[in-house]
Amino acid sequence: MTAKERCPCILCIVFLLAALIGLLPTPASAAKIDDQFRTWLRSDLWPEANAKGISRNTFEAAFDGVKPNLKLPDLLMPGQKATTPQKQHQAEFGSPGAYFAEKTVRAVTAGGRARAAANARTIAAIEKRYGVPGGVLLAIWGRESGFGAAKMPYDAFEVLGTKAFMATRKDFFRTELMAALEIVERGLAPVGAMKSSWAGALGQPQFMPSSFLRHAVDFDGDGRADIWNSVPDTLASIANYLVHYGWVKGRGWGFEVTVPEAVSCSLEGPDQGKRISEWADMGIKRVAAGPFPARELKAEGFLLMPAGRSGPAFIVTPNFYVLKQYNTSDLYALFIGHGADRIAHGDSNFSGRWGAVGGLHRSDIAALQRALEAEGYDVGSADGLPGFKTRRSIGKWQARNGRAATCFPDADLVTALK
């Protein structure tokens, strides 16, 4: 028997062993999960949906032929326990600079400028009503769905049903599943139109169903809020969302700055705001475009250093944290602000350069966070995400231990804190 002939048998053994230890669902176990899912729908989900006014017709139509999609991420198979992944490739775990690849940014900014011209009257009307700059709306639209070009290949009820049944955040997705049923029950969208991302987000602005119910608006005057097909409704719904979370009319998102070494990177965060004039008095200067606008000097600003000392720095306004309500990543909010600036003023990259940082597993960062917590530092949570509380805690620990404060995790730091 040749090596080529032996391979199928070896693969069979590997898959059989994987199934036995619960790493891969076998057809039998998949069928069992299907049965458990149908039982859950009938005995658990339906009574709640019925109590909330969802009709049997809507419920049956939503789940007609739906089975759990076991290929979705963040699922817990029966009997499994949640663990911190050993390796992740999201921007938060590598160099933050990877999030701002020029090809990605330019696709949003070039597409945004083209659509700004094509939709000038609509955008002007939305700006007048909501006070959110068109560049911000266009950057979000481009980032979320490629200006509506991105395909939404999933059935929202398949995604939300699977995740409400067996995801790591069941309660969150159960709430969103109920909202999706309400959308259909109220006639806001038919079952067939409920196409989503792998996370259950809907339409061109990628709203979760509960956000659709709260924030989607009819701006084109046809009598329904259509975030799947209507550009005016899509852009106005994004603006309405941002206003709901506190967008301050007349202020931008922030400014790139230089931060003197004498100013600690541990001053970062939305709970450590100062008047922008105070930051300026500490030696923080706006990059390239001259001093801070006079109208901003008395207003509050916040230090943002998403890569610590190994990347660009910013003084951001409260509007930056409104952008974070759309997606809780600092890098996402920074991408939107940066993209909006480039749409409005032309392509110009950050002056600061991203350093060679990152390359850590999420589990490494989680271990570092637990070590810092054990020493009394507030890292937010030991979730493996280097958010601002983790970054500034690193800076404080480094300063107290005679090290140069970088405010960003690295391999040496993980070793030192073990």
Side-chain angles (χ1 to χ4, degrees), residues 37-72:
F37 179 71
R38 302 311 300 185
T39 299
W40 172 78
L41 286 177
R42 182 177 60 254
S43 61
D44 187 342
L45 193 69
W46 163 244
E48 181 182 350
N50 186 37
K52 291 184 175 179
I54 305 301
S55 68
R56 172 62 78 173
N57 285 343
T58 292
F59 193 85
E60 294 294 342
F63 294 106
D64 183 28
V66 170
K67 295 182 178 181
N69 184 343
L70 303 183
K71 296 180 180 180
L72 294 173

mmCIF file of all heavy atoms in Angstrom, residues 37-72:
data_model
loop_
_atom_site.group_PDB
_atom_site.id
_atom_site.type_symbol
_atom_site.label_atom_id
_atom_site.label_comp_id
_atom_site.label_asym_id
_atom_site.label_seq_id
_atom_site.Cartn_x
_atom_site.Cartn_y
_atom_site.Cartn_z
ATOM 1 N N PHE A 37 -32.358 21.690 19.344
ATOM 2 C CA PHE A 37 -32.718 23.035 18.890
ATOM 3 C C PHE A 37 -34.230 23.143 18.682
ATOM 4 O O PHE A 37 -34.865 24.107 19.117
ATOM 5 C CB PHE A 37 -31.961 23.346 17.595
ATOM 6 C CG PHE A 37 -32.265 24.689 16.999
ATOM 7 C CD1 PHE A 37 -31.818 25.852 17.600
ATOM 8 C CD2 PHE A 37 -32.986 24.788 15.810
ATOM 9 C CE1 PHE A 37 -32.088 27.105 17.047
ATOM 10 C CE2 PHE A 37 -33.257 26.022 15.239
ATOM 11 C CZ PHE A 37 -32.809 27.180 15.864
ATOM 12 N N ARG A 38 -34.816 22.152 18.010
ATOM 13 C CA ARG A 38 -36.263 22.192 17.781
ATOM 14 C C ARG A 38 -37.036 22.135 19.093
ATOM 15 O O ARG A 38 -38.046 22.821 19.265
ATOM 16 C CB ARG A 38 -36.699 21.026 16.883
ATOM 17 C CG ARG A 38 -36.050 20.940 15.517
ATOM 18 C CD ARG A 38 -36.047 22.214 14.713
ATOM 19 N NE ARG A 38 -37.385 22.738 14.421
ATOM 20 C CZ ARG A 38 -37.607 23.791 13.641
ATOM 21 N NH1 ARG A 38 -36.589 24.437 13.088
ATOM 22 N NH2 ARG A 38 -38.826 24.216 13.424
ATOM 23 N N THR A 39 -36.537 21.337 20.028
ATOM 24 C CA THR A 39 -37.179 21.275 21.347
ATOM 25 C C THR A 39 -37.081 22.616 22.055
ATOM 26 O O THR A 39 -38.049 23.087 22.672
ATOM 27 C CB THR A 39 -36.530 20.178 22.210
ATOM 28 O OG1 THR A 39 -36.704 18.913 21.561
ATOM 29 C CG2 THR A 39 -37.146 20.127 23.605
ATOM 30 N N TRP A 40 -35.924 23.237 21.951
ATOM 31 C CA TRP A 40 -35.711 24.559 22.565
ATOM 32 C C TRP A 40 -36.645 25.603 21.954
ATOM 33 O O TRP A 40 -37.250 26.407 22.664
ATOM 34 C CB TRP A 40 -34.252 24.963 22.386
ATOM 35 C CG TRP A 40 -33.930 26.357 22.790
ATOM 36 C CD1 TRP A 40 -33.757 26.836 24.059
ATOM 37 C CD2 TRP A 40 -33.715 27.470 21.904
ATOM 38 N NE1 TRP A 40 -33.451 28.181 24.021
ATOM 39 C CE2 TRP A 40 -33.425 28.591 22.720
ATOM 40 C CE3 TRP A 40 -33.735 27.617 20.530
ATOM 41 C CZ2 TRP A 40 -33.163 29.853 22.181
ATOM 42 C CZ3 TRP A 40 -33.466 28.868 19.986
ATOM 43 C CH2 TRP A 40 -33.195 29.968 20.808
ATOM 44 N N LEU A 41 -36.763 25.574 20.625
ATOM 45 C CA LEU A 41 -37.683 26.504 19.975
ATOM 46 C C LEU A 41 -39.106 26.334 20.501
ATOM 47 O O LEU A 41 -39.785 27.315 20.833
ATOM 48 C CB LEU A 41 -37.682 26.277 18.461
ATOM 49 C CG LEU A 41 -36.482 26.746 17.637
ATOM 50 C CD1 LEU A 41 -36.668 26.359 16.183
ATOM 51 C CD2 LEU A 41 -36.270 28.251 17.756
ATOM 52 N N ARG A 42 -39.539 25.078 20.582
ATOM 53 C CA ARG A 42 -40.924 24.789 20.926
ATOM 54 C C ARG A 42 -41.237 25.067 22.402
ATOM 55 O O ARG A 42 -42.254 25.687 22.725
ATOM 56 C CB ARG A 42 -41.216 23.323 20.599
ATOM 57 C CG ARG A 42 -42.652 22.878 20.873
ATOM 58 C CD ARG A 42 -42.874 21.445 20.445
ATOM 59 N NE ARG A 42 -42.013 20.503 21.144
ATOM 60 C CZ ARG A 42 -40.951 19.903 20.595
ATOM 61 N NH1 ARG A 42 -40.624 20.141 19.335
ATOM 62 N NH2 ARG A 42 -40.221 19.060 21.285
ATOM 63 N N SER A 43 -40.328 24.619 23.290
ATOM 64 C CA SER A 43 -40.660 24.649 24.716
ATOM 65 C C SER A 43 -40.078 25.838 25.469
ATOM 66 O O SER A 43 -40.540 26.163 26.569
ATOM 67 C CB SER A 43 -40.179 23.354 25.386
ATOM 68 O OG SER A 43 -38.763 23.235 25.269
ATOM 69 N N ASP A 44 -39.089 26.503 24.877
ATOM 70 C CA ASP A 44 -38.419 27.604 25.589
ATOM 71 C C ASP A 44 -38.659 28.943 24.888
ATOM 72 O O ASP A 44 -39.180 29.893 25.476
ATOM 73 C CB ASP A 44 -36.918 27.307 25.665
ATOM 74 C CG ASP A 44 -36.156 28.299 26.540
ATOM 75 O OD1 ASP A 44 -36.677 29.388 26.818
ATOM 76 O OD2 ASP A 44 -35.012 27.995 26.945
ATOM 77 N N LEU A 45 -38.308 29.009 23.607
ATOM 78 C CA LEU A 45 -38.373 30.300 22.919
ATOM 79 C C LEU A 45 -39.817 30.700 22.593
ATOM 80 O O LEU A 45 -40.190 31.859 22.762
ATOM 81 C CB LEU A 45 -37.532 30.254 21.642
ATOM 82 C CG LEU A 45 -37.264 31.627 21.009
ATOM 83 C CD1 LEU A 45 -36.336 32.446 21.886
ATOM 84 C CD2 LEU A 45 -36.669 31.474 19.617
ATOM 85 N N TRP A 46 -40.611 29.762 22.090
ATOM 86 C CA TRP A 46 -41.969 30.125 21.691
ATOM 87 C C TRP A 46 -42.802 30.703 22.834
ATOM 88 O O TRP A 46 -43.472 31.726 22.628
ATOM 89 C CB TRP A 46 -42.692 28.937 21.053
ATOM 90 C CG TRP A 46 -44.178 29.119 20.998
ATOM 91 C CD1 TRP A 46 -45.126 28.384 21.628
ATOM 92 C CD2 TRP A 46 -44.887 30.152 20.289
ATOM 93 N NE1 TRP A 46 -46.382 28.876 21.372
ATOM 94 C CE2 TRP A 46 -46.266 29.965 20.549
ATOM 95 C CE3 TRP A 46 -44.499 31.209 19.476
ATOM 96 C CZ2 TRP A 46 -47.241 30.787 20.005
ATOM 97 C CZ3 TRP A 46 -45.476 32.033 18.946
ATOM 98 C CH2 TRP A 46 -46.822 31.829 19.202
ATOM 99 N N PRO A 47 -42.792 30.135 24.043
ATOM 100 C CA PRO A 47 -43.599 30.738 25.110
ATOM 101 C C PRO A 47 -43.234 32.196 25.375
ATOM 102 O O PRO A 47 -44.114 33.034 25.598
ATOM 103 C CB PRO A 47 -43.312 29.847 26.326
ATOM 104 C CG PRO A 47 -42.961 28.521 25.735
ATOM 105 C CD PRO A 47 -42.205 28.840 24.479
ATOM 106 N N GLU A 48 -41.936 32.512 25.325
ATOM 107 C CA GLU A 48 -41.532 33.912 25.536
ATOM 108 C C GLU A 48 -41.984 34.782 24.372
ATOM 109 O O GLU A 48 -42.497 35.892 24.573
ATOM 110 C CB GLU A 48 -40.020 34.018 25.716
ATOM 111 C CG GLU A 48 -39.564 35.455 25.954
ATOM 112 C CD GLU A 48 -38.060 35.614 26.093
ATOM 113 O OE1 GLU A 48 -37.348 34.595 26.197
ATOM 114 O OE2 GLU A 48 -37.595 36.779 26.088
ATOM 115 N N ALA A 49 -41.785 34.295 23.163
ATOM 116 C CA ALA A 49 -42.186 35.073 21.988
ATOM 117 C C ALA A 49 -43.694 35.321 22.002
ATOM 118 O O ALA A 49 -44.160 36.437 21.725
ATOM 119 C CB ALA A 49 -41.772 34.335 20.714
ATOM 120 N N ASN A 50 -44.454 34.310 22.329
ATOM 121 C CA ASN A 50 -45.906 34.434 22.387
ATOM 122 C C ASN A 50 -46.321 35.460 23.428
ATOM 123 O O ASN A 50 -47.216 36.288 23.191
ATOM 124 C CB ASN A 50 -46.512 33.068 22.704
ATOM 125 C CG ASN A 50 -48.025 33.075 22.633
ATOM 126 O OD1 ASN A 50 -48.615 33.727 21.789
ATOM 127 N ND2 ASN A 50 -48.664 32.350 23.541
ATOM 128 N N ALA A 51 -45.650 35.429 24.586
ATOM 129 C CA ALA A 51 -45.966 36.385 25.655
ATOM 130 C C ALA A 51 -45.644 37.810 25.238
ATOM 131 O O ALA A 51 -46.241 38.764 25.760
ATOM 132 C CB ALA A 51 -45.199 36.015 26.922
ATOM 133 N N LYS A 52 -44.724 37.983 24.280
ATOM 134 C CA LYS A 52 -44.342 39.318 23.824
ATOM 135 C C LYS A 52 -45.105 39.737 22.566
ATOM 136 O O LYS A 52 -44.750 40.724 21.923
ATOM 137 C CB LYS A 52 -42.837 39.364 23.586
ATOM 138 C CG LYS A 52 -42.035 39.261 24.882
ATOM 139 C CD LYS A 52 -40.540 39.397 24.655
ATOM 140 C CE LYS A 52 -39.802 39.411 25.997
ATOM 141 N NZ LYS A 52 -38.335 39.518 25.839
ATOM 142 N N GLY A 53 -46.136 38.985 22.218
ATOM 143 C CA GLY A 53 -47.000 39.408 21.128
ATOM 144 C C GLY A 53 -46.636 38.892 19.764
ATOM 145 O O GLY A 53 -47.170 39.372 18.750
ATOM 146 N N ILE A 54 -45.710 37.935 19.683
ATOM 147 C CA ILE A 54 -45.350 37.354 18.388
ATOM 148 C C ILE A 54 -46.370 36.276 18.038
ATOM 149 O O ILE A 54 -46.661 35.392 18.848
ATOM 150 C CB ILE A 54 -43.928 36.741 18.436
ATOM 151 C CG1 ILE A 54 -42.898 37.789 18.906
ATOM 152 C CG2 ILE A 54 -43.548 36.168 17.081
ATOM 153 C CD1 ILE A 54 -42.811 39.017 18.047
ATOM 154 N N SER A 55 -46.912 36.349 16.837
ATOM 155 C CA SER A 55 -47.924 35.380 16.431
ATOM 156 C C SER A 55 -47.285 34.054 16.052
ATOM 157 O O SER A 55 -46.099 33.981 15.706
ATOM 158 C CB SER A 55 -48.713 35.920 15.237
ATOM 159 O OG SER A 55 -47.876 35.983 14.088
ATOM 160 N N ARG A 56 -48.101 33.012 16.095
ATOM 161 C CA ARG A 56 -47.614 31.692 15.689
ATOM 162 C C ARG A 56 -47.185 31.710 14.221
ATOM 163 O O ARG A 56 -46.165 31.107 13.842
ATOM 164 C CB ARG A 56 -48.700 30.646 15.913
ATOM 165 C CG ARG A 56 -48.386 29.265 15.362
ATOM 166 C CD ARG A 56 -47.171 28.630 16.008
ATOM 167 N NE ARG A 56 -47.470 28.092 17.312
ATOM 168 C CZ ARG A 56 -46.606 27.365 18.027
ATOM 169 N NH1 ARG A 56 -45.384 27.125 17.558
ATOM 170 N NH2 ARG A 56 -46.939 26.917 19.224
ATOM 171 N N ASN A 57 -47.921 32.421 13.358
ATOM 172 C CA ASN A 57 -47.561 32.481 11.941
ATOM 173 C C ASN A 57 -46.182 33.092 11.739
ATOM 174 O O ASN A 57 -45.376 32.595 10.950
ATOM 175 C CB ASN A 57 -48.610 33.287 11.163
ATOM 176 C CG ASN A 57 -49.898 32.521 10.955
ATOM 177 O OD1 ASN A 57 -49.934 31.300 11.101
ATOM 178 N ND2 ASN A 57 -50.970 33.230 10.623
ATOM 179 N N THR A 58 -45.912 34.189 12.439
ATOM 180 C CA THR A 58 -44.594 34.820 12.318
ATOM 181 C C THR A 58 -43.510 33.882 12.819
ATOM 182 O O THR A 58 -42.448 33.722 12.181
ATOM 183 C CB THR A 58 -44.559 36.139 13.121
ATOM 184 O OG1 THR A 58 -45.425 37.086 12.505
ATOM 185 C CG2 THR A 58 -43.154 36.715 13.178
ATOM 186 N N PHE A 59 -43.720 33.257 13.953
ATOM 187 C CA PHE A 59 -42.725 32.363 14.552
ATOM 188 C C PHE A 59 -42.430 31.194 13.624
ATOM 189 O O PHE A 59 -41.252 30.870 13.367
ATOM 190 C CB PHE A 59 -43.233 31.867 15.901
ATOM 191 C CG PHE A 59 -42.186 31.204 16.748
ATOM 192 C CD1 PHE A 59 -41.341 31.959 17.559
ATOM 193 C CD2 PHE A 59 -42.042 29.824 16.751
ATOM 194 C CE1 PHE A 59 -40.373 31.352 18.344
ATOM 195 C CE2 PHE A 59 -41.079 29.201 17.536
ATOM 196 C CZ PHE A 59 -40.245 29.968 18.338
ATOM 197 N N GLU A 60 -43.453 30.578 13.101
ATOM 198 C CA GLU A 60 -43.254 29.424 12.238
ATOM 199 C C GLU A 60 -42.567 29.829 10.941
ATOM 200 O O GLU A 60 -41.692 29.108 10.430
ATOM 201 C CB GLU A 60 -44.599 28.752 11.942
ATOM 202 C CG GLU A 60 -45.275 28.130 13.151
ATOM 203 C CD GLU A 60 -44.510 26.948 13.717
ATOM 204 O OE1 GLU A 60 -43.655 26.387 13.004
ATOM 205 O OE2 GLU A 60 -44.744 26.594 14.898
ATOM 206 N N ALA A 61 -42.942 30.974 10.385
ATOM 207 C CA ALA A 61 -42.308 31.435 9.140
ATOM 208 C C ALA A 61 -40.833 31.737 9.359
ATOM 209 O O ALA A 61 -39.990 31.439 8.510
ATOM 210 C CB ALA A 61 -43.030 32.669 8.610
ATOM 211 N N ALA A 62 -40.490 32.323 10.508
ATOM 212 C CA ALA A 62 -39.106 32.690 10.788
ATOM 213 C C ALA A 62 -38.214 31.465 10.881
ATOM 214 O O ALA A 62 -37.055 31.492 10.448
ATOM 215 C CB ALA A 62 -39.036 33.500 12.083
ATOM 216 N N PHE A 63 -38.723 30.376 11.447
ATOM 217 C CA PHE A 63 -37.884 29.203 11.709
ATOM 218 C C PHE A 63 -38.188 28.032 10.784
ATOM 219 O O PHE A 63 -37.709 26.927 11.027
ATOM 220 C CB PHE A 63 -38.027 28.789 13.174
ATOM 221 C CG PHE A 63 -37.474 29.807 14.125
ATOM 222 C CD1 PHE A 63 -38.328 30.604 14.878
ATOM 223 C CD2 PHE A 63 -36.114 30.007 14.243
ATOM 224 C CE1 PHE A 63 -37.820 31.558 15.736
ATOM 225 C CE2 PHE A 63 -35.594 30.962 15.098
ATOM 226 C CZ PHE A 63 -36.450 31.746 15.855
ATOM 227 N N ASP A 64 -38.917 28.287 9.727
ATOM 228 C CA ASP A 64 -39.228 27.239 8.769
ATOM 229 C C ASP A 64 -37.942 26.732 8.120
ATOM 230 O O ASP A 64 -37.252 27.464 7.410
ATOM 231 C CB ASP A 64 -40.182 27.766 7.702
ATOM 232 C CG ASP A 64 -40.592 26.689 6.708
ATOM 233 O OD1 ASP A 64 -40.610 25.501 7.096
ATOM 234 O OD2 ASP A 64 -40.889 27.040 5.555
ATOM 235 N N GLY A 65 -37.601 25.484 8.369
ATOM 236 C CA GLY A 65 -36.398 24.884 7.785
ATOM 237 C C GLY A 65 -35.094 25.298 8.426
ATOM 238 O O GLY A 65 -34.020 24.886 7.961
ATOM 239 N N VAL A 66 -35.133 26.100 9.463
ATOM 240 C CA VAL A 66 -33.905 26.593 10.098
ATOM 241 C C VAL A 66 -33.310 25.517 10.995
ATOM 242 O O VAL A 66 -34.002 24.901 11.809
ATOM 243 C CB VAL A 66 -34.181 27.869 10.912
ATOM 244 C CG1 VAL A 66 -32.972 28.233 11.776
ATOM 245 C CG2 VAL A 66 -34.527 29.022 9.980
ATOM 246 N N LYS A 67 -32.008 25.294 10.840
ATOM 247 C CA LYS A 67 -31.240 24.409 11.713
ATOM 248 C C LYS A 67 -30.051 25.184 12.267
ATOM 249 O O LYS A 67 -29.638 26.191 11.679
ATOM 250 C CB LYS A 67 -30.736 23.191 10.933
ATOM 251 C CG LYS A 67 -31.816 22.274 10.410
ATOM 252 C CD LYS A 67 -31.197 21.080 9.697
ATOM 253 C CE LYS A 67 -32.272 20.127 9.202
ATOM 254 N NZ LYS A 67 -31.673 18.940 8.522
ATOM 255 N N PRO A 68 -29.486 24.731 13.373
ATOM 256 C CA PRO A 68 -28.299 25.422 13.893
ATOM 257 C C PRO A 68 -27.155 25.384 12.879
ATOM 258 O O PRO A 68 -26.892 24.347 12.268
ATOM 259 C CB PRO A 68 -27.942 24.610 15.149
ATOM 260 C CG PRO A 68 -29.189 23.911 15.537
ATOM 261 C CD PRO A 68 -29.913 23.633 14.258
ATOM 262 N N ASN A 69 -26.521 26.515 12.686
ATOM 263 C CA ASN A 69 -25.357 26.609 11.804
ATOM 264 C C ASN A 69 -24.105 26.434 12.651
ATOM 265 O O ASN A 69 -23.653 27.367 13.313
ATOM 266 C CB ASN A 69 -25.344 27.952 11.081
ATOM 267 C CG ASN A 69 -24.211 28.057 10.070
ATOM 268 O OD1 ASN A 69 -23.252 27.291 10.108
ATOM 269 N ND2 ASN A 69 -24.329 29.014 9.169
ATOM 270 N N LEU A 70 -23.540 25.235 12.634
ATOM 271 C CA LEU A 70 -22.421 24.918 13.514
ATOM 272 C C LEU A 70 -21.099 25.487 13.012
ATOM 273 O O LEU A 70 -20.072 25.335 13.679
ATOM 274 C CB LEU A 70 -22.304 23.398 13.675
ATOM 275 C CG LEU A 70 -23.562 22.699 14.219
ATOM 276 C CD1 LEU A 70 -23.308 21.213 14.408
ATOM 277 C CD2 LEU A 70 -24.030 23.334 15.519
ATOM 278 N N LYS A 71 -21.125 26.167 11.868
ATOM 279 C CA LYS A 71 -19.908 26.804 11.360
ATOM 280 C C LYS A 71 -19.736 28.228 11.870
ATOM 281 O O LYS A 71 -18.697 28.848 11.623
ATOM 282 C CB LYS A 71 -19.923 26.806 9.824
ATOM 283 C CG LYS A 71 -19.881 25.410 9.211
ATOM 284 C CD LYS A 71 -19.887 25.476 7.691
ATOM 285 C CE LYS A 71 -19.857 24.080 7.075
ATOM 286 N NZ LYS A 71 -19.862 24.129 5.586
ATOM 287 N N LEU A 72 -20.735 28.755 12.547
ATOM 288 C CA LEU A 72 -20.631 30.116 13.077
ATOM 289 C C LEU A 72 -19.603 30.156 14.209
ATOM 290 O O LEU A 72 -19.412 29.158 14.917
ATOM 291 C CB LEU A 72 -21.987 30.589 13.600
ATOM 292 C CG LEU A 72 -23.091 30.764 12.553
ATOM 293 C CD1 LEU A 72 -24.415 31.056 13.236
ATOM 294 C CD2 LEU A 72 -22.731 31.877 11.581
#
